[in-house]
Amino acid sequence: MQEKDAPTRRRRTSPRSAVALTAAVAMLTTGLLSWPGTAQRAEAAPTAFAHPGVTVSRAQLDFARDKVLAGAQPWKGAYDQMMAGKYASLSRTPKPRAVVECGPYSDPDYGCTDEREDAIAAYTDALAWYITRDERYAKKAIELMDAWSGTLRDHTNSNAPLQTGWAGSSWPKAAEIIKYTYTGTWADSGRFATMLRNVYLPKLINGSNSNGNWELSMMEAAVGISVFLEDKASYDTAMAKFRTRAAAYVYLSSDGDLPKTVPSQNLNTRDKIVSYWQGQSTFVTGLTQETCRDFTHTGYGISAISHIAETSRIQGQDLYGTDVGERLRQALGFQAKYELGTAVPSWLCGGTVKRGLGPITEVGYNALHNRLGIAMTNTQTLTQQNRPAGSNNLFVAWETLTHGDNPN
């Protein structure tokens, strides 16, 4: 059952409102916003899944490879950064556990860091394989994936859903590249798929009523896993949950006086919504549910939105032309403005924000600015200032290499 809209109040249309309405109509007709009633529509899974197709496509990989081999910047610098770090090490030893236990803020950390970092390492090795065609990297990626698929049985404690989302976002990116581009054999690819289906997907698919970055990361993992498994039903379920959560995570003035909500959270009063939005009571376009918590967690949410939108585009449904794209654009621009040092007004988070957005702007910036031609001055400045974007050591890695000014 959907939440009811706020009561309608009759009021005259001010000149400012008329301008806003005109702008909204213009965005609707150009596809930057979706018409009312379409924002929560579940996107259909593709008739046939595209592979590799989780966040990065074959065409994007080819573009990155060509640029690196030509020594072109910023891609060569991004590649060198990736290869110089611990994740690309061919001497890495996987550290799988049967049960990964993660408490609040990964305390206790019984396999949490090991799992996330082995998953990022597998993805790193898969990228290294694709660019170099050195099969040692493909074999290392397979070694890491096989070690975990032969051992892992469960995630436990309070952070289990988030941990499953973070690690589960990286594994299918690695697996897609290896399964569909590596010319050698991966004998236990079926066992890896079984791990994703039986250990990860059940923890993810029902979502979370915690802070929004949890469910967004969980749906990123669920969407990516569904692509690898070619599971259309799970893909549709995860995508529908994502559409609802993304709309409830980033505020647009077109939402009304209050942000949208996720029905299962029963945020049915203004006071409840304000509390959930970290005490922020003034809602402006681009504000996120966690802006006033800190920019780091906000970055997790924005990143997951961009990753799901990118996967969806590769799979044939372009969400950048819906409210998802507009929310992503506004969230990036709003946070980038203050990340770059703009003075924080007193009405925003009590006049203080905790910066630290992380390496999360490349995918959304490339899609919205480079592909769609939307001016994004603050996001552009921040993106270029932070190149090459590295890893947040959780679920984001090497996006200047894969998506920096990538036209595909």
Side-chain angles (χ1 to χ4, degrees), residues 101-381:
E101 181 181 352
C102 307
Y105 298 95
S106 294
D107 181 16
D109 179 347
Y110 297 139
C112 316
T113 300
D114 291 338
E115 180 190 23
R116 294 193 305 265
E117 295 194 349
D118 276 352
I120 293 173
Y123 176 53
T124 301
D125 289 326
L127 289 174
W129 145 254
Y130 199 90
I131 290 169
T132 65
R133 295 300 196 268
D134 181 341
E135 70 173 351
R136 291 179 302 165
Y137 290 102
K139 289 178 177 178
K140 178 56 71 171
I142 290 170
E143 178 190 342
L144 291 161
M145 291 188 284
D146 283 354
W148 281 90
S149 71
T151 307
L152 183 66
R153 297 293 176 266
D154 199 10
H155 297 91
T156 64
N157 213 322
S158 61
N159 261 34
L162 182 60
Q163 171 72 18
T164 310
W166 281 342
S169 294
S170 297
W171 287 130
K173 290 193 291 189
E176 281 280 298
I177 294 172
I178 296 301
K179 183 173 181 178
Y180 292 99
T181 75
Y182 177 47
T183 50
T185 57
W186 180 13
D188 287 321
S189 63
R191 188 178 73 189
F192 184 80
T194 297
M195 177 186 73
L196 294 182
R197 181 180 294 108
N198 294 342
V199 179
Y200 285 83
L201 203 52
K203 276 278 198 304
L204 301 168
I205 201 67
N206 293 321
S208 166
N209 286 325
S210 185
N211 281 301
N213 83 85
W214 278 50
E215 187 165 87
L216 289 166
S217 286
M218 291 166 68
M219 291 310 105
E220 176 186 344
V223 166
I225 288 169
S226 296
V227 171
F228 184 72
L229 298 178
E230 297 197 324
D231 182 342
K232 294 181 181 181
S234 293
Y235 184 94
D236 285 347
T237 297
M239 195 62 73
K241 197 170 289 290
F242 162 69
R243 295 297 298 272
T244 299
R245 176 61 68 176
Y249 194 71
V250 182
Y251 176 79
L252 298 178
S253 60
S254 56
D255 294 337
D257 292 339
L258 295 171
K260 291 180 178 293
T261 62
V262 174
S264 60
Q265 293 190 263
N266 296 312
L267 299 174
N268 50 15
T269 69
R270 180 181 178 85
D271 286 348
K272 288 182 181 179
I273 292 172
V274 168
S275 176
Y276 185 59
W277 282 62
Q278 319 297 324
Q280 177 68 13
S281 59
T282 300
F283 302 104
V284 296
T285 293
L287 183 79
T288 80
Q289 182 254 316
E290 295 186 275
T291 297
C292 294
R293 180 186 184 188
D294 58 63
F295 277 21
T296 301
H297 287 89
T298 297
Y300 300 163
I302 294 172
S303 180
I305 291 171
S306 72
H307 293 166
I308 296 173
E310 193 72 356
T311 296
S312 180
R313 184 189 67 87
I314 294 166
Q315 298 304 330
Q317 291 279 359
D318 194 341
L319 297 181
Y320 292 115
T322 72
D323 75 299
V324 171
E326 181 64 3
R327 291 180 197 279
L328 177 59
R329 175 175 83 94
Q330 297 291 355
L332 283 168
F334 186 86
Q335 266 62 222
K337 174 182 176 181
Y338 295 107
E339 182 76 7
L340 289 167
T342 295
V344 182
S346 59
W347 57 262
L348 177 62
C349 310
T352 304
V353 295
K354 297 178 183 177
R355 296 177 174 86
L357 199 57
I360 59 90
T361 65
E362 289 278 15
V363 175
Y365 170 72
N366 185 57
L368 296 164
H369 176 74
N370 293 329
R371 287 200 207 107
L372 297 183
I374 301 169
M376 299 174 69
T377 306
N378 289 323
T379 306
Q380 180 173 12
T381 298

Side-chain angles (χ1 to χ4, degrees), residues 63-104:
F63 175 85
R65 180 172 191 260
D66 289 346
K67 291 297 186 183
V68 171
L69 295 181
Q73 298 297 353
W75 306 276
K76 180 61 164 62
Y79 169 78
D80 289 344
Q81 175 198 45
M82 178 181 82
M83 297 303 288
K86 63 182 179 180
Y87 295 118
S89 172
L90 288 170
S91 62
R92 184 181 189 87
T93 301
K95 299 178 180 178
R97 284 177 179 251
V99 177
V100 172
E101 181 181 352
C102 307

Side-chain angles (χ1 to χ4, degrees), residues 15-47:
R16 183 176 178 181
S17 298
V19 171
L21 179 61
T22 301
V25 171
M27 284 192 288
L28 286 164
T29 56
T30 57
L32 285 178
L33 285 177
S34 55
W35 292 103
T38 66
Q40 305 306 317
R41 186 186 70 245
E43 298 301 319
T47 303

